[in-house]
PDB file of all heavy atoms in Angstrom:
ATOM      1  N   PRO A   1     -10.214  -6.426  -9.851  1.00  0.00           N
ATOM      2  CA  PRO A   1      -9.423  -5.417  -9.116  1.00  0.00           C
ATOM      3  C   PRO A   1      -8.788  -4.357 -10.003  1.00  0.00           C
ATOM      4  O   PRO A   1      -8.648  -4.576 -11.288  1.00  0.00           O
ATOM      5  CB  PRO A   1      -8.256  -6.325  -8.640  1.00  0.00           C
ATOM      6  CG  PRO A   1      -8.147  -7.437  -9.707  1.00  0.00           C
ATOM      7  CD  PRO A   1      -9.521  -7.718 -10.028  1.00  0.00           C
ATOM      8  N   VAL A   2      -8.644  -3.192  -9.510  1.00  0.00           N
ATOM      9  CA  VAL A   2      -8.109  -2.026 -10.258  1.00  0.00           C
ATOM     10  C   VAL A   2      -6.704  -1.788  -9.532  1.00  0.00           C
ATOM     11  O   VAL A   2      -6.566  -1.570  -8.353  1.00  0.00           O
ATOM     12  CB  VAL A   2      -8.987  -0.749 -10.046  1.00  0.00           C
ATOM     13  CG1 VAL A   2      -8.257   0.426 -10.713  1.00  0.00           C
ATOM     14  CG2 VAL A   2     -10.439  -1.041 -10.718  1.00  0.00           C
ATOM     15  N   LYS A   3      -5.662  -1.811 -10.429  1.00  0.00           N
ATOM     16  CA  LYS A   3      -4.301  -1.548  -9.908  1.00  0.00           C
ATOM     17  C   LYS A   3      -4.114  -0.106  -9.905  1.00  0.00           C
ATOM     18  O   LYS A   3      -4.322   0.575 -10.914  1.00  0.00           O
ATOM     19  CB  LYS A   3      -3.300  -2.254 -10.784  1.00  0.00           C
ATOM     20  CG  LYS A   3      -1.854  -1.989 -10.316  1.00  0.00           C
ATOM     21  CD  LYS A   3      -0.737  -2.813 -11.035  1.00  0.00           C
ATOM     22  CE  LYS A   3      -0.903  -3.041 -12.460  1.00  0.00           C
ATOM     23  NZ  LYS A   3       0.240  -3.738 -13.046  1.00  0.00           N
ATOM     24  N   SER A   4      -3.773   0.506  -8.788  1.00  0.00           N
ATOM     25  CA  SER A   4      -3.511   1.949  -8.705  1.00  0.00           C
ATOM     26  C   SER A   4      -2.171   2.373  -8.253  1.00  0.00           C
ATOM     27  O   SER A   4      -1.855   3.620  -8.382  1.00  0.00           O
ATOM     28  CB  SER A   4      -4.645   2.514  -7.837  1.00  0.00           C
ATOM     29  OG  SER A   4      -4.639   1.947  -6.575  1.00  0.00           O
ATOM     30  N   TRP A   5      -1.352   1.572  -7.765  1.00  0.00           N
ATOM     31  CA  TRP A   5      -0.032   1.913  -7.251  1.00  0.00           C
ATOM     32  C   TRP A   5       0.918   0.710  -7.522  1.00  0.00           C
ATOM     33  O   TRP A   5       0.533  -0.416  -7.232  1.00  0.00           O
ATOM     34  CB  TRP A   5      -0.048   2.411  -5.825  1.00  0.00           C
ATOM     35  CG  TRP A   5       1.343   2.611  -5.308  1.00  0.00           C
ATOM     36  CD1 TRP A   5       2.041   3.779  -5.426  1.00  0.00           C
ATOM     37  CD2 TRP A   5       2.249   1.785  -4.630  1.00  0.00           C
ATOM     38  NE1 TRP A   5       3.245   3.767  -4.926  1.00  0.00           N
ATOM     39  CE2 TRP A   5       3.441   2.522  -4.273  1.00  0.00           C
ATOM     40  CE3 TRP A   5       2.112   0.419  -4.227  1.00  0.00           C
ATOM     41  CZ2 TRP A   5       4.520   1.883  -3.696  1.00  0.00           C
ATOM     42  CZ3 TRP A   5       3.150  -0.124  -3.546  1.00  0.00           C
ATOM     43  CH2 TRP A   5       4.334   0.629  -3.214  1.00  0.00           C
ATOM     44  N   THR A   6       2.082   1.087  -8.036  1.00  0.00           N
ATOM     45  CA  THR A   6       3.210   0.176  -8.189  1.00  0.00           C
ATOM     46  C   THR A   6       4.507   0.826  -7.855  1.00  0.00           C
ATOM     47  O   THR A   6       4.732   1.896  -8.229  1.00  0.00           O
ATOM     48  CB  THR A   6       3.183  -0.385  -9.737  1.00  0.00           C
ATOM     49  OG1 THR A   6       1.837  -0.938 -10.029  1.00  0.00           O
ATOM     50  CG2 THR A   6       4.237  -1.407 -10.005  1.00  0.00           C
ATOM     51  N   THR A   7       5.285  -0.081  -7.284  1.00  0.00           N
ATOM     52  CA  THR A   7       6.695   0.359  -7.105  1.00  0.00           C
ATOM     53  C   THR A   7       7.597  -0.523  -7.908  1.00  0.00           C
ATOM     54  O   THR A   7       7.206  -1.622  -8.371  1.00  0.00           O
ATOM     55  CB  THR A   7       7.187   0.149  -5.589  1.00  0.00           C
ATOM     56  OG1 THR A   7       8.457   0.633  -5.531  1.00  0.00           O
ATOM     57  CG2 THR A   7       7.140  -1.252  -5.161  1.00  0.00           C
ATOM     58  N   GLU A   8       8.718   0.063  -8.364  1.00  0.00           N
ATOM     59  CA  GLU A   8       9.642  -0.633  -9.339  1.00  0.00           C
ATOM     60  C   GLU A   8      10.216  -1.904  -8.706  1.00  0.00           C
ATOM     61  O   GLU A   8      10.370  -1.916  -7.465  1.00  0.00           O
ATOM     62  CB  GLU A   8      10.703   0.340  -9.726  1.00  0.00           C
ATOM     63  CG  GLU A   8      10.263   1.541 -10.558  1.00  0.00           C
ATOM     64  CD  GLU A   8       9.595   1.165 -11.841  1.00  0.00           C
ATOM     65  OE1 GLU A   8      10.095   0.257 -12.507  1.00  0.00           O
ATOM     66  OE2 GLU A   8       8.501   1.744 -12.076  1.00  0.00           O
ATOM     67  N   PRO A   9      10.667  -2.828  -9.525  1.00  0.00           N
ATOM     68  CA  PRO A   9      11.344  -4.011  -8.971  1.00  0.00           C
ATOM     69  C   PRO A   9      12.488  -3.715  -8.133  1.00  0.00           C
ATOM     70  O   PRO A   9      13.199  -2.756  -8.441  1.00  0.00           O
ATOM     71  CB  PRO A   9      11.764  -4.666 -10.294  1.00  0.00           C
ATOM     72  CG  PRO A   9      10.832  -4.231 -11.338  1.00  0.00           C
ATOM     73  CD  PRO A   9      10.564  -2.827 -11.056  1.00  0.00           C
ATOM     74  N   GLY A  10      12.591  -4.499  -6.974  1.00  0.00           N
ATOM     75  CA  GLY A  10      13.703  -4.304  -6.235  1.00  0.00           C
ATOM     76  C   GLY A  10      13.517  -3.315  -5.065  1.00  0.00           C
ATOM     77  O   GLY A  10      14.393  -3.189  -4.168  1.00  0.00           O
ATOM     78  N   ASN A  11      12.478  -2.417  -5.112  1.00  0.00           N
ATOM     79  CA  ASN A  11      12.310  -1.453  -4.043  1.00  0.00           C
ATOM     80  C   ASN A  11      11.706  -2.008  -2.767  1.00  0.00           C
ATOM     81  O   ASN A  11      12.076  -1.665  -1.744  1.00  0.00           O
ATOM     82  CB  ASN A  11      11.382  -0.320  -4.594  1.00  0.00           C
ATOM     83  CG  ASN A  11      12.162   0.608  -5.630  1.00  0.00           C
ATOM     84  OD1 ASN A  11      13.330   0.733  -5.526  1.00  0.00           O
ATOM     85  ND2 ASN A  11      11.342   1.287  -6.385  1.00  0.00           N
ATOM     86  N   TRP A  12      10.632  -2.851  -2.955  1.00  0.00           N
ATOM     87  CA  TRP A  12      10.008  -3.476  -1.783  1.00  0.00           C
ATOM     88  C   TRP A  12       9.880  -4.925  -2.058  1.00  0.00           C
ATOM     89  O   TRP A  12       9.685  -5.316  -3.174  1.00  0.00           O
ATOM     90  CB  TRP A  12       8.527  -2.917  -1.591  1.00  0.00           C
ATOM     91  CG  TRP A  12       8.468  -1.514  -0.939  1.00  0.00           C
ATOM     92  CD1 TRP A  12       9.356  -0.562  -0.836  1.00  0.00           C
ATOM     93  CD2 TRP A  12       7.276  -1.110  -0.330  1.00  0.00           C
ATOM     94  NE1 TRP A  12       8.799   0.479  -0.191  1.00  0.00           N
ATOM     95  CE2 TRP A  12       7.595   0.173   0.154  1.00  0.00           C
ATOM     96  CE3 TRP A  12       5.988  -1.483  -0.080  1.00  0.00           C
ATOM     97  CZ2 TRP A  12       6.604   1.048   0.854  1.00  0.00           C
ATOM     98  CZ3 TRP A  12       5.135  -0.784   0.591  1.00  0.00           C
ATOM     99  CH2 TRP A  12       5.377   0.521   1.069  1.00  0.00           C
ATOM    100  N   TRP A  13       9.914  -5.694  -0.968  1.00  0.00           N
ATOM    101  CA  TRP A  13       9.656  -7.189  -1.163  1.00  0.00           C
ATOM    102  C   TRP A  13       8.426  -7.457  -0.211  1.00  0.00           C
ATOM    103  O   TRP A  13       8.443  -6.936   0.897  1.00  0.00           O
ATOM    104  CB  TRP A  13      10.868  -7.921  -0.631  1.00  0.00           C
ATOM    105  CG  TRP A  13      12.062  -7.662  -1.541  1.00  0.00           C
ATOM    106  CD1 TRP A  13      13.030  -6.694  -1.298  1.00  0.00           C
ATOM    107  CD2 TRP A  13      12.333  -8.157  -2.804  1.00  0.00           C
ATOM    108  NE1 TRP A  13      13.821  -6.656  -2.368  1.00  0.00           N
ATOM    109  CE2 TRP A  13      13.452  -7.617  -3.294  1.00  0.00           C
ATOM    110  CE3 TRP A  13      11.657  -9.231  -3.628  1.00  0.00           C
ATOM    111  CZ2 TRP A  13      14.108  -7.933  -4.537  1.00  0.00           C
ATOM    112  CZ3 TRP A  13      12.379  -9.557  -4.806  1.00  0.00           C
ATOM    113  CH2 TRP A  13      13.454  -8.850  -5.229  1.00  0.00           C
ATOM    114  N   ILE A  14       7.515  -8.259  -0.799  1.00  0.00           N
ATOM    115  CA  ILE A  14       6.199  -8.514  -0.101  1.00  0.00           C
ATOM    116  C   ILE A  14       6.365  -9.086   1.261  1.00  0.00           C
ATOM    117  O   ILE A  14       5.585  -8.820   2.228  1.00  0.00           O
ATOM    118  CB  ILE A  14       5.314  -9.287  -1.021  1.00  0.00           C
ATOM    119  CG1 ILE A  14       3.821  -9.226  -0.494  1.00  0.00           C
ATOM    120  CG2 ILE A  14       5.742 -10.757  -1.165  1.00  0.00           C
ATOM    121  CD1 ILE A  14       3.245  -7.896  -0.585  1.00  0.00           C
ATOM    122  N   GLU A  15       7.410  -9.886   1.451  1.00  0.00           N
ATOM    123  CA  GLU A  15       7.564 -10.507   2.787  1.00  0.00           C
ATOM    124  C   GLU A  15       8.010  -9.554   3.895  1.00  0.00           C
ATOM    125  O   GLU A  15       8.001  -9.826   5.042  1.00  0.00           O
ATOM    126  CB  GLU A  15       8.499 -11.723   2.727  1.00  0.00           C
ATOM    127  CG  GLU A  15       9.898 -11.356   2.254  1.00  0.00           C
ATOM    128  CD  GLU A  15      10.082 -11.443   0.700  1.00  0.00           C
ATOM    129  OE1 GLU A  15       9.116 -11.557   0.052  1.00  0.00           O
ATOM    130  OE2 GLU A  15      11.194 -11.382   0.301  1.00  0.00           O
ATOM    131  N   ASN A  16       8.330  -8.340   3.481  1.00  0.00           N
ATOM    132  CA  ASN A  16       8.773  -7.241   4.481  1.00  0.00           C
ATOM    133  C   ASN A  16       7.755  -6.178   4.798  1.00  0.00           C
ATOM    134  O   ASN A  16       7.999  -5.289   5.482  1.00  0.00           O
ATOM    135  CB  ASN A  16      10.002  -6.526   3.905  1.00  0.00           C
ATOM    136  CG  ASN A  16      11.290  -7.403   3.765  1.00  0.00           C
ATOM    137  OD1 ASN A  16      11.169  -8.614   4.184  1.00  0.00           O
ATOM    138  ND2 ASN A  16      12.233  -6.929   3.218  1.00  0.00           N
ATOM    139  N   VAL A  17       6.557  -6.380   4.201  1.00  0.00           N
ATOM    140  CA  VAL A  17       5.478  -5.391   4.458  1.00  0.00           C
ATOM    141  C   VAL A  17       4.248  -6.019   5.102  1.00  0.00           C
ATOM    142  O   VAL A  17       3.947  -7.240   4.891  1.00  0.00           O
ATOM    143  CB  VAL A  17       5.060  -4.718   3.036  1.00  0.00           C
ATOM    144  CG1 VAL A  17       4.424  -5.734   2.105  1.00  0.00           C
ATOM    145  CG2 VAL A  17       4.179  -3.588   3.282  1.00  0.00           C
ATOM    146  N   GLN A  18       3.630  -5.261   6.042  1.00  0.00           N
ATOM    147  CA  GLN A  18       2.396  -5.591   6.654  1.00  0.00           C
ATOM    148  C   GLN A  18       1.464  -4.433   6.383  1.00  0.00           C
ATOM    149  O   GLN A  18       1.860  -3.313   6.400  1.00  0.00           O
ATOM    150  CB  GLN A  18       2.633  -5.702   8.177  1.00  0.00           C
ATOM    151  CG  GLN A  18       3.496  -6.736   8.671  1.00  0.00           C
ATOM    152  CD  GLN A  18       3.037  -8.163   8.289  1.00  0.00           C
ATOM    153  OE1 GLN A  18       1.853  -8.382   8.358  1.00  0.00           O
ATOM    154  NE2 GLN A  18       3.966  -9.026   7.976  1.00  0.00           N
ATOM    155  N   ILE A  19       0.185  -4.784   6.085  1.00  0.00           N
ATOM    156  CA  ILE A  19      -0.865  -3.691   5.863  1.00  0.00           C
ATOM    157  C   ILE A  19      -2.093  -3.787   6.659  1.00  0.00           C
ATOM    158  O   ILE A  19      -2.360  -4.915   7.225  1.00  0.00           O
ATOM    159  CB  ILE A  19      -1.253  -3.704   4.324  1.00  0.00           C
ATOM    160  CG1 ILE A  19      -2.014  -4.972   3.880  1.00  0.00           C
ATOM    161  CG2 ILE A  19      -0.125  -3.417   3.428  1.00  0.00           C
ATOM    162  CD1 ILE A  19      -2.589  -4.897   2.503  1.00  0.00           C
ATOM    163  N   ALA A  20      -2.707  -2.699   6.870  1.00  0.00           N
ATOM    164  CA  ALA A  20      -3.971  -2.591   7.702  1.00  0.00           C
ATOM    165  C   ALA A  20      -4.635  -1.361   7.075  1.00  0.00           C
ATOM    166  O   ALA A  20      -4.111  -0.508   6.395  1.00  0.00           O
ATOM    167  CB  ALA A  20      -3.611  -2.350   9.226  1.00  0.00           C
ATOM    168  N   SER A  21      -6.025  -1.256   7.524  1.00  0.00           N
ATOM    169  CA  SER A  21      -6.866  -0.228   7.033  1.00  0.00           C
ATOM    170  C   SER A  21      -7.531   0.585   8.184  1.00  0.00           C
ATOM    171  O   SER A  21      -7.722  -0.047   9.190  1.00  0.00           O
ATOM    172  CB  SER A  21      -7.928  -0.780   6.091  1.00  0.00           C
ATOM    173  OG  SER A  21      -7.450  -1.231   4.933  1.00  0.00           O
ATOM    174  N   GLY A  22      -7.643   1.856   7.930  1.00  0.00           N
ATOM    175  CA  GLY A  22      -8.466   2.669   8.891  1.00  0.00           C
ATOM    176  C   GLY A  22      -8.590   4.134   8.359  1.00  0.00           C
ATOM    177  O   GLY A  22      -7.865   4.414   7.309  1.00  0.00           O
ATOM    178  N   ASP A  23      -9.459   4.841   8.782  1.00  0.00           N
ATOM    179  CA  ASP A  23      -9.666   6.194   8.323  1.00  0.00           C
ATOM    180  C   ASP A  23      -8.695   7.193   9.114  1.00  0.00           C
ATOM    181  O   ASP A  23      -9.041   7.751  10.089  1.00  0.00           O
ATOM    182  CB  ASP A  23     -11.079   6.721   8.412  1.00  0.00           C
ATOM    183  CG  ASP A  23     -11.301   8.079   7.908  1.00  0.00           C
ATOM    184  OD1 ASP A  23     -10.328   8.664   7.277  1.00  0.00           O
ATOM    185  OD2 ASP A  23     -12.475   8.524   8.078  1.00  0.00           O
ATOM    186  N   TYR A  24      -7.423   7.205   8.651  1.00  0.00           N
ATOM    187  CA  TYR A  24      -6.415   7.917   9.344  1.00  0.00           C
ATOM    188  C   TYR A  24      -6.464   9.389   9.325  1.00  0.00           C
ATOM    189  O   TYR A  24      -5.910  10.034  10.129  1.00  0.00           O
ATOM    190  CB  TYR A  24      -5.014   7.398   8.906  1.00  0.00           C
ATOM    191  CG  TYR A  24      -4.956   5.896   9.016  1.00  0.00           C
ATOM    192  CD1 TYR A  24      -4.617   5.135   7.930  1.00  0.00           C
ATOM    193  CD2 TYR A  24      -5.128   5.198  10.197  1.00  0.00           C
ATOM    194  CE1 TYR A  24      -4.487   3.752   8.035  1.00  0.00           C
ATOM    195  CE2 TYR A  24      -5.124   3.851  10.324  1.00  0.00           C
ATOM    196  CZ  TYR A  24      -4.767   3.095   9.235  1.00  0.00           C
ATOM    197  OH  TYR A  24      -4.664   1.704   9.289  1.00  0.00           O
ATOM    198  N   ASP A  25      -7.067   9.894   8.289  1.00  0.00           N
ATOM    199  CA  ASP A  25      -7.131  11.454   8.142  1.00  0.00           C
ATOM    200  C   ASP A  25      -8.540  11.986   8.428  1.00  0.00           C
ATOM    201  O   ASP A  25      -8.887  13.109   8.294  1.00  0.00           O
ATOM    202  CB  ASP A  25      -6.695  11.917   6.753  1.00  0.00           C
ATOM    203  CG  ASP A  25      -7.336  11.210   5.585  1.00  0.00           C
ATOM    204  OD1 ASP A  25      -8.501  10.473   5.817  1.00  0.00           O
ATOM    205  OD2 ASP A  25      -6.913  11.430   4.393  1.00  0.00           O
ATOM    206  N   GLY A  26      -9.522  11.075   8.716  1.00  0.00           N
ATOM    207  CA  GLY A  26     -10.850  11.516   9.119  1.00  0.00           C
ATOM    208  C   GLY A  26     -11.718  12.110   8.007  1.00  0.00           C
ATOM    209  O   GLY A  26     -12.738  12.813   8.222  1.00  0.00           O
ATOM    210  N   ASN A  27     -11.483  11.701   6.772  1.00  0.00           N
ATOM    211  CA  ASN A  27     -12.279  12.184   5.596  1.00  0.00           C
ATOM    212  C   ASN A  27     -13.444  11.205   5.210  1.00  0.00           C
ATOM    213  O   ASN A  27     -14.093  11.577   4.245  1.00  0.00           O
ATOM    214  CB  ASN A  27     -11.407  12.480   4.454  1.00  0.00           C
ATOM    215  CG  ASN A  27     -10.779  11.217   3.746  1.00  0.00           C
ATOM    216  OD1 ASN A  27     -11.035  10.076   4.327  1.00  0.00           O
ATOM    217  ND2 ASN A  27     -10.092  11.307   2.693  1.00  0.00           N
ATOM    218  N   GLY A  28     -13.662  10.261   6.036  1.00  0.00           N
ATOM    219  CA  GLY A  28     -14.879   9.361   5.634  1.00  0.00           C
ATOM    220  C   GLY A  28     -14.378   8.213   4.781  1.00  0.00           C
ATOM    221  O   GLY A  28     -15.325   7.389   4.440  1.00  0.00           O
ATOM    222  N   ARG A  29     -13.254   8.127   4.296  1.00  0.00           N
ATOM    223  CA  ARG A  29     -12.771   7.049   3.474  1.00  0.00           C
ATOM    224  C   ARG A  29     -11.667   6.322   4.158  1.00  0.00           C
ATOM    225  O   ARG A  29     -10.623   6.882   4.647  1.00  0.00           O
ATOM    226  CB  ARG A  29     -12.330   7.430   2.006  1.00  0.00           C
ATOM    227  CG  ARG A  29     -13.379   8.057   1.238  1.00  0.00           C
ATOM    228  CD  ARG A  29     -13.059   8.135  -0.262  1.00  0.00           C
ATOM    229  NE  ARG A  29     -11.874   8.950  -0.367  1.00  0.00           N
ATOM    230  CZ  ARG A  29     -11.856  10.339  -0.675  1.00  0.00           C
ATOM    231  NH1 ARG A  29     -12.910  10.962  -0.652  1.00  0.00           N
ATOM    232  NH2 ARG A  29     -10.643  10.992  -0.840  1.00  0.00           N
ATOM    233  N   SER A  30     -11.603   5.037   4.155  1.00  0.00           N
ATOM    234  CA  SER A  30     -10.455   4.324   4.729  1.00  0.00           C
ATOM    235  C   SER A  30      -9.186   4.438   3.921  1.00  0.00           C
ATOM    236  O   SER A  30      -9.300   4.642   2.693  1.00  0.00           O
ATOM    237  CB  SER A  30     -10.761   2.757   4.858  1.00  0.00           C
ATOM    238  OG  SER A  30     -11.936   2.559   5.704  1.00  0.00           O
ATOM    239  N   ASP A  31      -8.021   4.438   4.659  1.00  0.00           N
ATOM    240  CA  ASP A  31      -6.824   4.462   4.071  1.00  0.00           C
ATOM    241  C   ASP A  31      -6.093   3.240   4.278  1.00  0.00           C
ATOM    242  O   ASP A  31      -6.576   2.358   5.119  1.00  0.00           O
ATOM    243  CB  ASP A  31      -5.882   5.591   4.678  1.00  0.00           C
ATOM    244  CG  ASP A  31      -6.706   6.906   4.741  1.00  0.00           C
ATOM    245  OD1 ASP A  31      -6.999   7.466   3.696  1.00  0.00           O
ATOM    246  OD2 ASP A  31      -6.859   7.349   5.807  1.00  0.00           O
ATOM    247  N   VAL A  32      -5.031   2.834   3.616  1.00  0.00           N
ATOM    248  CA  VAL A  32      -4.263   1.697   3.808  1.00  0.00           C
ATOM    249  C   VAL A  32      -2.888   2.152   4.494  1.00  0.00           C
ATOM    250  O   VAL A  32      -2.211   2.965   3.970  1.00  0.00           O
ATOM    251  CB  VAL A  32      -3.956   0.909   2.587  1.00  0.00           C
ATOM    252  CG1 VAL A  32      -2.950  -0.238   2.871  1.00  0.00           C
ATOM    253  CG2 VAL A  32      -5.250   0.276   2.042  1.00  0.00           C
TER     254      VAL A  32
END
């Protein structure tokens, strides 16, 4: 894996986030 984004401690908690993927801007690459 390549780590590309990190938030500082205490900003987000993993149990409070849900993720999904789709090409939301229509550029041919999926976004999260």
Side-chain angles (χ1 to χ4, degrees):
V2 175
K3 180 173 32 173
S4 56
W5 175 81
T6 298
T7 185
E8 295 299 317
N11 285 338
W12 280 22
W13 299 95
I14 196 67
E15 59 271 11
N16 295 353
V17 65
Q18 300 292 325
I19 62 173
S21 291
D23 184 2
Y24 306 122
D25 57 8
N27 70 353
R29 292 193 307 268
S30 295
D31 310 299
V32 171

